[in-house]
């Protein structure tokens, strides 16, 4: 379900329904993050994804952020679209981590876990989990209210930069807290601005005008298939005569060449 101003309240209601479940999952994930606690939150997510043989490739599709793919019969591998703005990539990191780990967490909290086969509901869980991992125990609401700027988009730009979160994630989090606190004026402002869509260039102008680092709202265009490539090469060292490994390596090298070309093409188009 695409979230709009019309179904924003329904989204908040769903968040409340799944809040306890998501909190259990956050506690489960935090056990894995102990060794990376000194890193920024987005880097912590990246380290988890690397453990699952992360693939990063630029795909020129603004509606596709990432996915989990099954390779062979056993390996599930996360794929992140690096043609998306970095802020959106960071959000997708945690979204895909939820999908990668939800079945593991069910074993620990089976009595508290609702197994849902509804695609939209499961995606809402992944999105809400991602949002809570990004905003954590920090108070976005107070931060927003204490900003001195009067322009709404400028204040949101500061939130996006400070919390490294995409536009809609910031607005949903603010709306949820504003609703809980009975701040109807802020709810109206958030809902009135919810469906606005600015281009990367427009956001970049706002960020630059107000001395904010605009690299976070630009794509990274990273091509990274090295983890899978090296894993196959390692298997070939031990099993040099297995044709399947040779074929798989050929496919991966073909992907790498293809997406390097896509990377160059997108960068040239963005710069031109």
């Amino acid at each position: 379900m695409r979230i709009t101003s019309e179904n924003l309240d329904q989204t908040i209601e769903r968040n409340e329904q799944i809040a306890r479940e998501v909190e259990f999952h956050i506690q489960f994930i935090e056990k894995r993050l102990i060794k990376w606690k000194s890193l920024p939150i987005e880097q912590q997510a990246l380290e988890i994804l690397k453990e699952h043989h992360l693939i990063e490739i630029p795909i020129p599709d603004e509606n596709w952020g990432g996915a989990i793919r099954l390779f062979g019969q056993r390996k599930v591998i996360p794929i992140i679209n690096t043609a998306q703005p970095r802020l959106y990539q960071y959000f997708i990191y945690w979204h895909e981590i939820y999908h990668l780990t939800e079945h593991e967490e069910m074993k620990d909290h089976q009595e508290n876990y609702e197994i849902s086969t509804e695609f939209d509901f499961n995606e809402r869980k992944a999105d809400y989990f991602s949002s809570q991992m990004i905003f954590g125990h920090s108070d976005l609401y107070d931060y927003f209210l204490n900003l001195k700027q009067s322009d709404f988009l400028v204040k949101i730009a500061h939130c996006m930069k400070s919390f490294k979160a995409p536009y809609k994630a910031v607005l949903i989090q603010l709306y949820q807290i504003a609703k809980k606190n009975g701040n109807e004026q802020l709810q109206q402002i958030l809902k009135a601005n919810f469906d606005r869509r600015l281009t990367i260039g427009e956001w970049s102008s706002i960020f630059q005008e107000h001395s904010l680092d605009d690299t976070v709202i630009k794509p990274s265009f990273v091509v990274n298939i090295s983890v899978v490539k090296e894993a196959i090469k390692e298997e070939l060292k031990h099993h040099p005569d297995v044709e399947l490994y040779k074929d798989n390596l050929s496919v991966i090298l073909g992907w790498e060449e293809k997406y390097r070309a896509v990377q160059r093409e997108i960068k040239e188009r963005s710069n031109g």
Side-chain angles (χ1 to χ4, degrees):
M1 180 178 71
R2 187 181 184 87
I3 304 173
T4 66
S5 57
E6 291 186 0
N7 60 27
L8 181 55
D9 287 291
Q10 180 187 348
T11 298
I12 300 307
E13 289 172 9
R14 283 197 161 194
N15 286 350
E16 292 171 354
Q17 292 170 21
I18 62 179
R20 187 162 176 259
E21 241 177 89
V22 168
E23 181 56 37
F24 277 125
H25 201 75
I26 290 172
Q27 292 171 14
F28 170 77
I29 287 296
E30 284 181 341
K31 296 174 186 176
R32 292 190 174 190
L33 297 176
I34 293 173
K35 57 185 172 181
W36 298 310
K37 275 297 183 183
S38 62
L39 299 176
I41 191 68
E42 71 279 3
Q43 189 64 37
Q44 293 179 35
L46 189 61
E47 294 301 327
I48 293 180
L49 292 174
K50 285 178 180 177
E51 289 185 335
H52 289 83
H53 300 91
L54 171 67
I55 289 176
E56 298 173 280
I57 48 178
I59 299 172
D61 182 345
E62 64 178 20
N63 296 312
W64 197 87
I68 305 296
R69 291 289 181 262
L70 180 66
F71 281 77
Q73 295 182 339
R74 291 179 298 171
K75 283 203 180 299
V76 286
I77 294 178
I79 303 174
I80 300 295
N81 181 8
T82 59
Q84 293 281 3
R86 286 175 176 84
L87 292 180
Y88 190 56
Q89 289 182 50
Y90 302 156
F91 188 87
I92 294 297
Y93 286 177
W94 289 113
H95 180 105
E96 300 307 341
I97 285 171
Y98 180 86
H99 289 313
L100 279 169
T101 58
E102 60 181 318
H103 294 291
E104 297 174 38
E105 197 264 347
M106 283 180 196
K107 297 173 186 175
D108 290 349
H109 296 105
Q110 191 72 44
E111 73 280 5
N112 299 308
Y113 211 99
E114 177 188 347
I115 301 174
S116 173
T117 57
E118 183 187 342
F119 176 77
D120 278 348
F121 200 64
N122 213 39
E123 290 300 290
R124 175 89 306 262
K125 289 178 185 178
D127 276 354
Y128 188 59
F129 169 78
S130 183
S131 177
Q132 298 315 295
M133 290 305 299
I134 289 172
F135 295 112
H137 301 294
S138 58
D139 200 333
L140 171 67
Y141 183 73
D142 279 352
Y143 178 82
F144 174 84
L145 292 180
N146 285 313
L147 287 169
K148 303 302 182 185
Q149 293 78 8
S150 57
D151 185 274
F152 175 79
L153 285 181
V154 173
K155 293 177 76 169
I156 293 299
H158 276 270
C159 293
M160 290 165 67
K161 188 266 179 186
S162 296
F163 291 88
K164 296 183 181 178
Y167 179 75
K168 279 197 173 181
V170 171
L171 265 63
I172 291 170
Q173 183 77 0
L174 281 173
Y175 189 86
Q176 182 162 317
I177 303 172
K179 192 168 186 177
K180 182 179 179 180
N181 291 343
N183 189 337
E184 294 184 5
Q185 182 182 13
L186 180 55
Q187 288 178 67
Q188 291 173 4
I189 294 170
L190 291 165
K191 192 172 278 191
N193 286 277
F194 195 82
D195 297 324
R196 295 179 71 169
R197 296 188 68 178
L198 275 67
T199 65
I200 291 174
E202 289 170 330
W203 276 122
S204 184
S205 295
I206 293 174
F207 272 59
Q208 289 178 15
E209 184 180 348
H210 295 275
S211 303
L212 300 172
D213 179 9
D214 68 342
T215 58
V216 293
I217 49 92
K218 293 179 178 178
S220 62
F221 299 121
V222 167
V223 175
N224 176 19
I225 312 178
S226 59
V227 176
V228 176
K229 184 172 64 176
E230 294 308 315
I232 296 172
K233 285 182 176 179
E234 190 64 29
E235 292 292 344
L236 274 170
K237 284 182 185 178
H238 297 86
H239 309 284
D241 298 324
V242 177
E243 291 297 324
L244 177 62
Y245 293 138
K246 294 178 183 178
D247 292 342
N248 285 345
L249 182 59
S250 178
V251 169
I252 290 298
L253 291 175
W255 280 15
E256 192 168 45
E257 183 179 348
K258 171 186 175 181
Y259 285 107
R260 290 289 181 198
V262 171
Q263 180 190 55
R264 289 191 295 271
E265 181 183 340
I266 294 176
K267 279 187 174 181
E268 289 170 4
R269 194 163 60 241
S270 299
N271 294 332

